[in-house]
Amino acid sequence: MTERTGRPEHTRRNVLWGGLAATAAGIAVPAVGAVPAAADSGDAGCPPPPGPAKVGRNDPRHRSLASRGYNRRFAGRPEHVWVVGTTEHVVRAVQEAVDGGKRVTVRSGGHCFEDFAADPAVQVVIDTSAMNAVYYDPARRAFAVEAGAPLGEVYRRLYLGWGVTIPAGWCPDVGAGGHVLGGGYGPLARLMGLVVDHLQAVEVVVVDRAGRARSVVATREATDPNRDLWWAHTGGGGGNFGIVTRYWFRTPGARGDDPARLLPAPPPAVLSFTITWDWNKFDKASFARLVRNYGEWAERNSAPDSPSARLYSEFQLNRRASGTIGMIGQVAAASGAERMLDDYLAAINRGVAVTPVRQVRNEPWLAAALAGPPGEPGPYWRLKAKSAYLRRRLSDRQTDVLYHHLTRTDYDYPGGLVNLCTFGGRVNTVAPQATATPHRDTVMKMLLINGWEAAADDHRHIAWLRELYRDLYADTGGVPAPADGAFINYPDADLADPAWNRGAPWHTLYYGDNYARLQQVKAKWDPRNVFRHTLSVRPA
C-alpha cells in the first residue's frame, strides 16, 4: 500500500533537501513544419539566421556567453565567443581559430558536468544555441534538428507538426548537440531505444590535415564513404571529431514519404509519479531490502518485449540528512498505467515496513515532456558526477557501502545522491558494434552526483563522492568492471586519473571494444587533433 496525495508538495528546489535534486536521463524560430532559410535558400520570405556575432571580452554580452555552463565549478576565459546561426558561420569561426592557432571548442545546451567547454585553456567558444531549427527535410526523408535546439523544442515541434518524437532526454533545456553525441536516453528509451538508434545523418564541421575547415554530411547508408563519421557520432561523445551543426532522424526500416511514419509516435498520455519514503524509518536491513527489490525488478523487467518497458523510473537514494528516499518516473500508457504503477510499487516495497507517499499526475505526453522531471537542478550548483552501467543489481556488499556513505555522521551535508535508473528494453536490441554506444546488455544506469554552492567546500564534497565510488567498486580498482562501463554523457575526469582509477582504462569504460575504431575515425577526420578535451578520443 502507498499513501496518496493529489497535490505535489515538492518543488524543483526542495525535492532534495538543501543540496541537489537531479535527473539522470539544452531568436526567432520558423513555424512548425517550415523549412528554415538555411535549408531552403530560395525562400525569400524567411528571416535571415542570427549571427555570426564575434563577442570579445569588452562586449557586455561576453560574461553571459562565457559563463553559460551548467557546473559552477568551472568558468572559462575565452578570448571571444562566436554566436553562430548557420553551418557556414561555424566553418568561418573554426577556420579563423585554426589560422590563428587558437584552442577552440563548441557548446550547445551547456550541460556538461566537466570543463570541456569552460576550460581556461580554450580561447574560442562556438555557441550554437541560436541554431535551433527543427523541420522535415523531404530530400532526405528525415527530420532535421540543428545542434542548438533544446530537447523541449524538438519534442514540441516534432509532435505538433507530425505526431512523432525521438527517445531523447527528460530535461527539456538540454541542447541536442552534445546529448545525441553521447547516445542520449530518456523515459521512452526502454520502449524505443536510444536516440542514436534513430540517427540517419549528421552534418559536421571538420578540419583536414592541411588546416582547412569544411562541412561534411555523413549518413547511415552502407554506401556512404563518410559512414564512419556518422558511426562515430552515435555515442562517441562530444568535442571529438568536429562540430556538429545538424542531425537528421529517421527510424531504420521506415518506408514511404509520409513524415508521420518515419519516427515513432509517443504515447497519447503518461502517468508521471513522485514517490517518497521517510529515510528516518529505515535501518540497514530495510534499506538493503528496498535497494535489492529495485534491482531485482530491473533484472526481471528489462527484456525488449517486457510489458514493463513502458515504465521508467529513477530511484533517488539521497543522504539520510535530506529526510527522504525518493523516486520519480513515468508510465507511458493511455490506459492501465495506474495498475502498472501499483504492481511496480508493490514489488519495490515488498518486505519493507516503511509506507511510501505517492504523488501522481496523468497528463498528455507533450505536457509531461515539456515540464521535464521534478527536481531538475541548476544551473545553480557546483557539481561533481560519476556514473556506471549495471547488468545486474547491486551486490549486497555494494548496498552496504551505499548505506554507510548515505548515513555517515562525519559528513553532515544533506546533498548528494545515487540515482538508479531503469534501463534496457529496446536499448538492448542493438549490437554493441552497430553504433559507438557499446552498452547494450544493461538493466540499470547509475548516476552519482553531489552539488553545493561555496567554492570553499569543493574538497570535502568531492571527496565524499570519490570515496563512495571507490568503495562501491573496491573489487575492480575503484571503477566499474570493463564489461559494465560508464556513460560518456556523465563525464568524470577522475577516470583518467590513476589516483582514482586502478582498474579499466577510462576509454574502455566509456567505449569498450569500440575505442580502437573511434581512434581510427579521429585520425582520419581530425588529424590535427583540433577538437580535444580531458576525455577526448586520442588519434590512433
Side-chain angles (χ1 to χ4, degrees), residues 74-117:
F74 304 117
R77 297 191 295 273
E79 294 176 9
H80 57 265
V81 179
W82 281 93
V83 178
V84 293
T86 69
T87 300
E88 291 71 25
H89 295 167
V90 177
V91 172
R92 170 184 166 184
V94 170
Q95 189 67 67
E96 182 179 292
V98 171
D99 290 345
K102 304 293 186 181
R103 177 84 176 269
V104 63
T105 194
V106 62
R107 180 180 59 213
S108 57
H111 278 248
C112 187
F113 285 138
E114 289 287 0
D115 66 346
F116 297 171

mmCIF file of all heavy atoms in Angstrom, residues 74-117:
data_model
loop_
_atom_site.group_PDB
_atom_site.id
_atom_site.type_symbol
_atom_site.label_atom_id
_atom_site.label_comp_id
_atom_site.label_asym_id
_atom_site.label_seq_id
_atom_site.Cartn_x
_atom_site.Cartn_y
_atom_site.Cartn_z
ATOM 1 N N PHE A 74 33.306 25.418 -12.840
ATOM 2 C CA PHE A 74 34.178 25.747 -13.956
ATOM 3 C C PHE A 74 33.753 27.062 -14.597
ATOM 4 O O PHE A 74 32.568 27.281 -14.850
ATOM 5 C CB PHE A 74 34.141 24.633 -14.999
ATOM 6 C CG PHE A 74 34.490 23.278 -14.437
ATOM 7 C CD1 PHE A 74 33.556 22.248 -14.445
ATOM 8 C CD2 PHE A 74 35.733 23.049 -13.885
ATOM 9 C CE1 PHE A 74 33.869 21.011 -13.926
ATOM 10 C CE2 PHE A 74 36.058 21.814 -13.353
ATOM 11 C CZ PHE A 74 35.128 20.794 -13.375
ATOM 12 N N ALA A 75 34.719 27.905 -14.865
ATOM 13 C CA ALA A 75 34.470 29.179 -15.534
ATOM 14 C C ALA A 75 35.546 29.377 -16.587
ATOM 15 O O ALA A 75 36.735 29.494 -16.255
ATOM 16 C CB ALA A 75 34.477 30.329 -14.534
ATOM 17 N N GLY A 76 35.151 29.382 -17.848
ATOM 18 C CA GLY A 76 36.108 29.588 -18.915
ATOM 19 C C GLY A 76 36.480 31.054 -19.062
ATOM 20 O O GLY A 76 35.806 31.947 -18.540
ATOM 21 N N ARG A 77 37.573 31.293 -19.800
ATOM 22 C CA ARG A 77 38.018 32.661 -20.056
ATOM 23 C C ARG A 77 38.344 32.822 -21.553
ATOM 24 O O ARG A 77 39.463 33.191 -21.920
ATOM 25 C CB ARG A 77 39.249 32.987 -19.205
ATOM 26 C CG ARG A 77 38.995 32.959 -17.708
ATOM 27 C CD ARG A 77 40.163 33.539 -16.938
ATOM 28 N NE ARG A 77 41.374 32.735 -17.096
ATOM 29 C CZ ARG A 77 41.677 31.695 -16.332
ATOM 30 N NH1 ARG A 77 40.855 31.332 -15.352
ATOM 31 N NH2 ARG A 77 42.790 31.024 -16.530
ATOM 32 N N PRO A 78 37.385 32.531 -22.416
ATOM 33 C CA PRO A 78 37.677 32.614 -23.852
ATOM 34 C C PRO A 78 37.955 34.048 -24.283
ATOM 35 O O PRO A 78 37.387 35.005 -23.740
ATOM 36 C CB PRO A 78 36.400 32.083 -24.497
ATOM 37 C CG PRO A 78 35.319 32.381 -23.509
ATOM 38 C CD PRO A 78 35.968 32.187 -22.165
ATOM 39 N N GLU A 79 38.831 34.177 -25.273
ATOM 40 C CA GLU A 79 39.081 35.499 -25.831
ATOM 41 C C GLU A 79 37.822 36.031 -26.498
ATOM 42 O O GLU A 79 37.533 37.234 -26.422
ATOM 43 C CB GLU A 79 40.226 35.418 -26.850
ATOM 44 C CG GLU A 79 41.562 35.062 -26.219
ATOM 45 C CD GLU A 79 42.655 34.892 -27.270
ATOM 46 O OE1 GLU A 79 42.400 35.212 -28.456
ATOM 47 O OE2 GLU A 79 43.758 34.435 -26.910
ATOM 48 N N HIS A 80 37.104 35.135 -27.135
ATOM 49 C CA HIS A 80 35.818 35.537 -27.699
ATOM 50 C C HIS A 80 34.927 34.320 -27.882
ATOM 51 O O HIS A 80 35.391 33.179 -27.886
ATOM 52 C CB HIS A 80 35.987 36.288 -29.027
ATOM 53 C CG HIS A 80 36.730 35.540 -30.082
ATOM 54 N ND1 HIS A 80 38.083 35.695 -30.304
ATOM 55 C CD2 HIS A 80 36.316 34.623 -31.000
ATOM 56 C CE1 HIS A 80 38.464 34.919 -31.290
ATOM 57 N NE2 HIS A 80 37.406 34.250 -31.726
ATOM 58 N N VAL A 81 33.638 34.602 -27.982
ATOM 59 C CA VAL A 81 32.616 33.582 -28.202
ATOM 60 C C VAL A 81 31.899 33.922 -29.510
ATOM 61 O O VAL A 81 31.423 35.047 -29.686
ATOM 62 C CB VAL A 81 31.602 33.535 -27.043
ATOM 63 C CG1 VAL A 81 30.539 32.473 -27.318
ATOM 64 C CG2 VAL A 81 32.305 33.274 -25.719
ATOM 65 N N TRP A 82 31.839 32.953 -30.393
ATOM 66 C CA TRP A 82 31.085 33.125 -31.631
ATOM 67 C C TRP A 82 29.639 32.671 -31.400
ATOM 68 O O TRP A 82 29.402 31.541 -30.981
ATOM 69 C CB TRP A 82 31.674 32.266 -32.739
ATOM 70 C CG TRP A 82 32.902 32.812 -33.406
ATOM 71 C CD1 TRP A 82 34.195 32.558 -33.071
ATOM 72 C CD2 TRP A 82 32.944 33.676 -34.543
ATOM 73 N NE1 TRP A 82 35.050 33.202 -33.914
ATOM 74 C CE2 TRP A 82 34.302 33.899 -34.836
ATOM 75 C CE3 TRP A 82 31.962 34.274 -35.341
ATOM 76 C CZ2 TRP A 82 34.714 34.700 -35.903
ATOM 77 C CZ3 TRP A 82 32.370 35.075 -36.392
ATOM 78 C CH2 TRP A 82 33.729 35.286 -36.665
ATOM 79 N N VAL A 83 28.700 33.546 -31.699
ATOM 80 C CA VAL A 83 27.289 33.171 -31.760
ATOM 81 C C VAL A 83 26.974 32.934 -33.228
ATOM 82 O O VAL A 83 27.058 33.852 -34.053
ATOM 83 C CB VAL A 83 26.373 34.263 -31.174
ATOM 84 C CG1 VAL A 83 24.910 33.852 -31.296
ATOM 85 C CG2 VAL A 83 26.736 34.531 -29.717
ATOM 86 N N VAL A 84 26.640 31.695 -33.559
ATOM 87 C CA VAL A 84 26.510 31.306 -34.961
ATOM 88 C C VAL A 84 25.070 30.916 -35.281
ATOM 89 O O VAL A 84 24.331 30.444 -34.418
ATOM 90 C CB VAL A 84 27.456 30.134 -35.292
ATOM 91 C CG1 VAL A 84 28.915 30.584 -35.212
ATOM 92 C CG2 VAL A 84 27.222 28.957 -34.343
ATOM 93 N N GLY A 85 24.687 31.109 -36.539
ATOM 94 C CA GLY A 85 23.331 30.790 -36.950
ATOM 95 C C GLY A 85 23.240 29.804 -38.091
ATOM 96 O O GLY A 85 22.163 29.285 -38.370
ATOM 97 N N THR A 86 24.370 29.531 -38.757
ATOM 98 C CA THR A 86 24.380 28.604 -39.880
ATOM 99 C C THR A 86 25.660 27.770 -39.843
ATOM 100 O O THR A 86 26.627 28.116 -39.154
ATOM 101 C CB THR A 86 24.331 29.341 -41.230
ATOM 102 O OG1 THR A 86 25.580 30.031 -41.433
ATOM 103 C CG2 THR A 86 23.178 30.332 -41.283
ATOM 104 N N THR A 87 25.656 26.713 -40.635
ATOM 105 C CA THR A 87 26.863 25.894 -40.766
ATOM 106 C C THR A 87 28.004 26.719 -41.345
ATOM 107 O O THR A 87 29.172 26.562 -40.933
ATOM 108 C CB THR A 87 26.571 24.679 -41.666
ATOM 109 O OG1 THR A 87 25.517 23.911 -41.065
ATOM 110 C CG2 THR A 87 27.803 23.808 -41.834
ATOM 111 N N GLU A 88 27.688 27.601 -42.277
ATOM 112 C CA GLU A 88 28.724 28.447 -42.871
ATOM 113 C C GLU A 88 29.373 29.337 -41.818
ATOM 114 O O GLU A 88 30.593 29.584 -41.859
ATOM 115 C CB GLU A 88 28.130 29.302 -43.992
ATOM 116 C CG GLU A 88 27.710 28.518 -45.234
ATOM 117 C CD GLU A 88 26.475 27.645 -45.005
ATOM 118 O OE1 GLU A 88 25.664 27.952 -44.102
ATOM 119 O OE2 GLU A 88 26.331 26.646 -45.741
ATOM 120 N N HIS A 89 28.589 29.820 -40.871
ATOM 121 C CA HIS A 89 29.161 30.605 -39.778
ATOM 122 C C HIS A 89 30.150 29.779 -38.971
ATOM 123 O O HIS A 89 31.204 30.268 -38.550
ATOM 124 C CB HIS A 89 28.058 31.102 -38.847
ATOM 125 C CG HIS A 89 27.099 32.063 -39.457
ATOM 126 N ND1 HIS A 89 25.902 32.406 -38.847
ATOM 127 C CD2 HIS A 89 27.136 32.756 -40.622
ATOM 128 C CE1 HIS A 89 25.259 33.272 -39.611
ATOM 129 N NE2 HIS A 89 25.981 33.499 -40.687
ATOM 130 N N VAL A 90 29.792 28.525 -38.731
ATOM 131 C CA VAL A 90 30.677 27.655 -37.947
ATOM 132 C C VAL A 90 31.980 27.408 -38.698
ATOM 133 O O VAL A 90 33.074 27.456 -38.113
ATOM 134 C CB VAL A 90 29.977 26.322 -37.613
ATOM 135 C CG1 VAL A 90 30.925 25.387 -36.867
ATOM 136 C CG2 VAL A 90 28.722 26.571 -36.784
ATOM 137 N N VAL A 91 31.886 27.143 -39.994
ATOM 138 C CA VAL A 91 33.098 26.945 -40.797
ATOM 139 C C VAL A 91 34.008 28.166 -40.693
ATOM 140 O O VAL A 91 35.231 28.047 -40.484
ATOM 141 C CB VAL A 91 32.731 26.653 -42.268
ATOM 142 C CG1 VAL A 91 33.991 26.641 -43.137
ATOM 143 C CG2 VAL A 91 32.001 25.326 -42.384
ATOM 144 N N ARG A 92 33.414 29.335 -40.800
ATOM 145 C CA ARG A 92 34.201 30.575 -40.725
ATOM 146 C C ARG A 92 34.875 30.712 -39.369
ATOM 147 O O ARG A 92 36.072 31.047 -39.287
ATOM 148 C CB ARG A 92 33.287 31.774 -40.995
ATOM 149 C CG ARG A 92 33.927 33.122 -40.709
ATOM 150 C CD ARG A 92 32.927 34.256 -40.920
ATOM 151 N NE ARG A 92 33.402 35.505 -40.359
ATOM 152 C CZ ARG A 92 32.689 36.631 -40.339
ATOM 153 N NH1 ARG A 92 31.469 36.647 -40.870
ATOM 154 N NH2 ARG A 92 33.183 37.727 -39.804
ATOM 155 N N ALA A 93 34.143 30.449 -38.293
ATOM 156 C CA ALA A 93 34.702 30.597 -36.951
ATOM 157 C C ALA A 93 35.814 29.592 -36.695
ATOM 158 O O ALA A 93 36.854 29.924 -36.108
ATOM 159 C CB ALA A 93 33.586 30.440 -35.915
ATOM 160 N N VAL A 94 35.611 28.360 -37.125
ATOM 161 C CA VAL A 94 36.643 27.334 -36.934
ATOM 162 C C VAL A 94 37.882 27.685 -37.752
ATOM 163 O O VAL A 94 39.023 27.566 -37.266
ATOM 164 C CB VAL A 94 36.102 25.945 -37.321
ATOM 165 C CG1 VAL A 94 37.233 24.919 -37.350
ATOM 166 C CG2 VAL A 94 35.025 25.506 -36.346
ATOM 167 N N GLN A 95 37.694 28.103 -38.988
ATOM 168 C CA GLN A 95 38.841 28.440 -39.835
ATOM 169 C C GLN A 95 39.665 29.560 -39.223
ATOM 170 O O GLN A 95 40.904 29.505 -39.216
ATOM 171 C CB GLN A 95 38.355 28.831 -41.228
ATOM 172 C CG GLN A 95 39.496 28.976 -42.241
ATOM 173 C CD GLN A 95 40.161 27.642 -42.521
ATOM 174 O OE1 GLN A 95 39.565 26.745 -43.099
ATOM 175 N NE2 GLN A 95 41.417 27.494 -42.092
ATOM 176 N N GLU A 96 38.989 30.569 -38.711
ATOM 177 C CA GLU A 96 39.724 31.676 -38.096
ATOM 178 C C GLU A 96 40.515 31.200 -36.881
ATOM 179 O O GLU A 96 41.667 31.616 -36.670
ATOM 180 C CB GLU A 96 38.764 32.792 -37.685
ATOM 181 C CG GLU A 96 39.473 33.995 -37.082
ATOM 182 C CD GLU A 96 38.529 35.104 -36.694
ATOM 183 O OE1 GLU A 96 37.944 35.718 -37.609
ATOM 184 O OE2 GLU A 96 38.376 35.356 -35.475
ATOM 185 N N ALA A 97 39.912 30.306 -36.068
ATOM 186 C CA ALA A 97 40.617 29.795 -34.902
ATOM 187 C C ALA A 97 41.833 28.970 -35.306
ATOM 188 O O ALA A 97 42.920 29.104 -34.728
ATOM 189 C CB ALA A 97 39.664 28.958 -34.049
ATOM 190 N N VAL A 98 41.664 28.118 -36.308
ATOM 191 C CA VAL A 98 42.784 27.289 -36.768
ATOM 192 C C VAL A 98 43.889 28.164 -37.350
ATOM 193 O O VAL A 98 45.082 27.968 -37.057
ATOM 194 C CB VAL A 98 42.287 26.251 -37.799
ATOM 195 C CG1 VAL A 98 43.472 25.528 -38.444
ATOM 196 C CG2 VAL A 98 41.359 25.249 -37.133
ATOM 197 N N ASP A 99 43.533 29.138 -38.163
ATOM 198 C CA ASP A 99 44.532 30.024 -38.762
ATOM 199 C C ASP A 99 45.301 30.798 -37.699
ATOM 200 O O ASP A 99 46.494 31.086 -37.871
ATOM 201 C CB ASP A 99 43.866 31.004 -39.725
ATOM 202 C CG ASP A 99 43.343 30.317 -40.985
ATOM 203 O OD1 ASP A 99 43.736 29.158 -41.239
ATOM 204 O OD2 ASP A 99 42.532 30.942 -41.702
ATOM 205 N N GLY A 100 44.607 31.139 -36.613
ATOM 206 C CA GLY A 100 45.256 31.904 -35.555
ATOM 207 C C GLY A 100 45.918 31.055 -34.485
ATOM 208 O O GLY A 100 46.454 31.595 -33.510
ATOM 209 N N GLY A 101 45.861 29.719 -34.660
ATOM 210 C CA GLY A 101 46.463 28.836 -33.664
ATOM 211 C C GLY A 101 45.749 28.863 -32.326
ATOM 212 O O GLY A 101 46.362 28.644 -31.277
ATOM 213 N N LYS A 102 44.441 29.094 -32.343
ATOM 214 C CA LYS A 102 43.659 29.226 -31.113
ATOM 215 C C LYS A 102 42.983 27.904 -30.749
ATOM 216 O O LYS A 102 42.469 27.194 -31.618
ATOM 217 C CB LYS A 102 42.582 30.305 -31.277
ATOM 218 C CG LYS A 102 43.109 31.678 -31.677
ATOM 219 C CD LYS A 102 43.938 32.322 -30.584
ATOM 220 C CE LYS A 102 44.324 33.759 -30.951
ATOM 221 N NZ LYS A 102 45.155 34.397 -29.906
ATOM 222 N N ARG A 103 42.958 27.598 -29.483
ATOM 223 C CA ARG A 103 42.233 26.424 -28.985
ATOM 224 C C ARG A 103 40.733 26.705 -29.075
ATOM 225 O O ARG A 103 40.241 27.714 -28.564
ATOM 226 C CB ARG A 103 42.645 26.150 -27.539
ATOM 227 C CG ARG A 103 41.919 24.999 -26.866
ATOM 228 C CD ARG A 103 42.528 23.653 -27.171
ATOM 229 N NE ARG A 103 41.823 22.623 -26.399
ATOM 230 C CZ ARG A 103 42.206 22.226 -25.177
ATOM 231 N NH1 ARG A 103 43.273 22.755 -24.610
ATOM 232 N NH2 ARG A 103 41.522 21.280 -24.561
ATOM 233 N N VAL A 104 39.980 25.802 -29.708
ATOM 234 C CA VAL A 104 38.569 26.052 -29.998
ATOM 235 C C VAL A 104 37.719 24.914 -29.451
ATOM 236 O O VAL A 104 38.164 23.756 -29.403
ATOM 237 C CB VAL A 104 38.342 26.224 -31.517
ATOM 238 C CG1 VAL A 104 38.694 24.954 -32.271
ATOM 239 C CG2 VAL A 104 36.915 26.656 -31.834
ATOM 240 N N THR A 105 36.522 25.241 -29.030
ATOM 241 C CA THR A 105 35.564 24.228 -28.607
ATOM 242 C C THR A 105 34.163 24.709 -28.941
ATOM 243 O O THR A 105 33.966 25.829 -29.420
ATOM 244 C CB THR A 105 35.698 23.911 -27.106
ATOM 245 O OG1 THR A 105 34.981 22.712 -26.795
ATOM 246 C CG2 THR A 105 35.155 25.041 -26.244
ATOM 247 N N VAL A 106 33.168 23.845 -28.670
ATOM 248 C CA VAL A 106 31.790 24.140 -29.036
ATOM 249 C C VAL A 106 30.890 23.932 -27.835
ATOM 250 O O VAL A 106 31.197 23.136 -26.933
ATOM 251 C CB VAL A 106 31.335 23.235 -30.206
ATOM 252 C CG1 VAL A 106 31.367 21.773 -29.809
ATOM 253 C CG2 VAL A 106 29.959 23.637 -30.722
ATOM 254 N N ARG A 107 29.773 24.634 -27.822
ATOM 255 C CA ARG A 107 28.775 24.466 -26.764
ATOM 256 C C ARG A 107 27.393 24.595 -27.392
ATOM 257 O O ARG A 107 27.145 25.468 -28.223
ATOM 258 C CB ARG A 107 28.961 25.537 -25.677
ATOM 259 C CG ARG A 107 27.964 25.443 -24.535
ATOM 260 C CD ARG A 107 28.229 26.532 -23.507
ATOM 261 N NE ARG A 107 28.135 27.835 -24.131
ATOM 262 C CZ ARG A 107 28.880 28.889 -23.768
ATOM 263 N NH1 ARG A 107 29.773 28.775 -22.811
ATOM 264 N NH2 ARG A 107 28.729 30.049 -24.377
ATOM 265 N N SER A 108 26.500 23.685 -26.985
ATOM 266 C CA SER A 108 25.103 23.799 -27.427
ATOM 267 C C SER A 108 24.240 24.161 -26.217
ATOM 268 O O SER A 108 23.994 25.318 -25.947
ATOM 269 C CB SER A 108 24.638 22.512 -28.101
ATOM 270 O OG SER A 108 24.783 21.384 -27.256
ATOM 271 N N GLY A 109 23.807 23.150 -25.440
ATOM 272 C CA GLY A 109 22.998 23.440 -24.256
ATOM 273 C C GLY A 109 23.804 23.846 -23.042
ATOM 274 O O GLY A 109 23.282 24.444 -22.107
ATOM 275 N N GLY A 110 25.076 23.480 -23.009
ATOM 276 C CA GLY A 110 25.933 23.874 -21.892
ATOM 277 C C GLY A 110 25.804 23.017 -20.657
ATOM 278 O O GLY A 110 26.181 23.438 -19.569
ATOM 279 N N HIS A 111 25.308 21.774 -20.788
ATOM 280 C CA HIS A 111 25.021 20.944 -19.621
ATOM 281 C C HIS A 111 26.148 19.997 -19.225
ATOM 282 O O HIS A 111 25.933 19.082 -18.447
ATOM 283 C CB HIS A 111 23.750 20.124 -19.858
ATOM 284 C CG HIS A 111 22.496 20.890 -19.583
ATOM 285 N ND1 HIS A 111 21.653 20.598 -18.545
ATOM 286 C CD2 HIS A 111 21.954 21.963 -20.217
ATOM 287 C CE1 HIS A 111 20.634 21.439 -18.541
ATOM 288 N NE2 HIS A 111 20.791 22.269 -19.553
ATOM 289 N N CYS A 112 27.338 20.186 -19.724
ATOM 290 C CA CYS A 112 28.423 19.257 -19.429
ATOM 291 C C CYS A 112 28.816 19.317 -17.951
ATOM 292 O O CYS A 112 28.905 20.389 -17.359
ATOM 293 C CB CYS A 112 29.638 19.570 -20.289
ATOM 294 S SG CYS A 112 30.958 18.358 -20.146
ATOM 295 N N PHE A 113 29.064 18.134 -17.344
ATOM 296 C CA PHE A 113 29.461 18.070 -15.939
ATOM 297 C C PHE A 113 30.936 18.399 -15.726
ATOM 298 O O PHE A 113 31.343 18.680 -14.605
ATOM 299 C CB PHE A 113 29.182 16.671 -15.371
ATOM 300 C CG PHE A 113 27.738 16.395 -15.092
ATOM 301 C CD1 PHE A 113 27.184 15.170 -15.414
ATOM 302 C CD2 PHE A 113 26.929 17.344 -14.510
ATOM 303 C CE1 PHE A 113 25.853 14.888 -15.149
ATOM 304 C CE2 PHE A 113 25.595 17.094 -14.239
ATOM 305 C CZ PHE A 113 25.051 15.853 -14.562
ATOM 306 N N GLU A 114 31.761 18.319 -16.776
ATOM 307 C CA GLU A 114 33.171 18.640 -16.643
ATOM 308 C C GLU A 114 33.477 19.938 -17.397
ATOM 309 O O GLU A 114 32.567 20.603 -17.883
ATOM 310 C CB GLU A 114 34.036 17.473 -17.147
ATOM 311 C CG GLU A 114 34.002 16.246 -16.236
ATOM 312 C CD GLU A 114 34.774 16.407 -14.926
ATOM 313 O OE1 GLU A 114 35.359 17.494 -14.694
ATOM 314 O OE2 GLU A 114 34.798 15.452 -14.129
ATOM 315 N N ASP A 115 34.763 20.289 -17.514
ATOM 316 C CA ASP A 115 35.140 21.606 -18.033
ATOM 317 C C ASP A 115 35.468 21.589 -19.523
ATOM 318 O O ASP A 115 36.296 22.366 -19.987
ATOM 319 C CB ASP A 115 36.345 22.146 -17.254
ATOM 320 C CG ASP A 115 37.606 21.316 -17.477
ATOM 321 O OD1 ASP A 115 37.485 20.188 -18.011
ATOM 322 O OD2 ASP A 115 38.701 21.792 -17.130
ATOM 323 N N PHE A 116 34.813 20.729 -20.285
ATOM 324 C CA PHE A 116 35.171 20.587 -21.689
ATOM 325 C C PHE A 116 35.027 21.899 -22.462
ATOM 326 O O PHE A 116 35.840 22.200 -23.328
ATOM 327 C CB PHE A 116 34.319 19.501 -22.350
ATOM 328 C CG PHE A 116 34.521 18.121 -21.783
ATOM 329 C CD1 PHE A 116 33.688 17.084 -22.156
ATOM 330 C CD2 PHE A 116 35.534 17.852 -20.872
ATOM 331 C CE1 PHE A 116 33.863 15.809 -21.651
ATOM 332 C CE2 PHE A 116 35.719 16.586 -20.349
ATOM 333 C CZ PHE A 116 34.873 15.555 -20.737
ATOM 334 N N ALA A 117 33.979 22.669 -22.182
ATOM 335 C CA ALA A 117 33.794 23.956 -22.847
ATOM 336 C C ALA A 117 34.289 25.110 -21.983
ATOM 337 O O ALA A 117 34.713 26.143 -22.500
ATOM 338 C CB ALA A 117 32.328 24.172 -23.210
#
